[in-house]
Amino acid sequence: MKSIITLPARSGALAFDGEPSDAELDAIELELPLIEAEVDLLDVEIMTLDRPATELDERRVRRARNRVLVERRKLTNRAATVHSGGVA
């Protein structure tokens, strides 16, 4: 049976230093409003798990869902603008 040995990277391009690249950080920064909206929605949903939902809770969930949809639309439109050759 052959053993699998981790070999050192032979080129600098293959080396992984454990940190995200600048492009990955830019993508995260671009998606951050959507990520925050999704976290807020999750917080609201968790808040309503252990008790019956009141009218106020339903409004909070609806508002949080709408915010997620708005942020998704903005992100999609930004991506479409960039890919179509427009200025972001």
Side-chain angles (χ1 to χ4, degrees):
M1 179 175 177
K2 290 184 178 181
S3 64
I4 299 173
I5 300 171
T6 304
L7 299 175
R10 294 179 187 224
S11 75
L14 297 177
F16 178 66
D17 63 357
E19 298 293 326
S21 68
D22 289 340
E24 291 169 330
L25 289 173
D26 290 341
I28 292 170
E29 186 175 331
L30 184 68
E31 295 176 10
L32 194 57
L34 175 59
I35 294 167
E36 290 173 343
E38 289 174 337
V39 168
D40 290 343
L41 173 59
L42 186 61
D43 286 343
V44 170
E45 290 174 338
I46 289 171
M47 201 169 54
T48 61
L49 285 177
D50 62 343
R51 59 187 162 93
T54 64
E55 186 178 332
L56 182 60
D57 292 334
E58 290 173 5
R59 278 190 261 165
R60 285 180 180 141
V61 170
R62 189 171 45 248
R63 219 175 296 126
R65 284 183 182 152
N66 287 339
R67 183 172 168 228
V68 168
L69 292 175
V70 166
E71 293 301 333
R72 282 184 186 166
R73 184 184 67 224
K74 286 180 184 178
L75 185 61
T76 302
N77 288 341
R78 256 185 261 136
T81 303
V82 170
H83 290 303
S84 67
V87 177

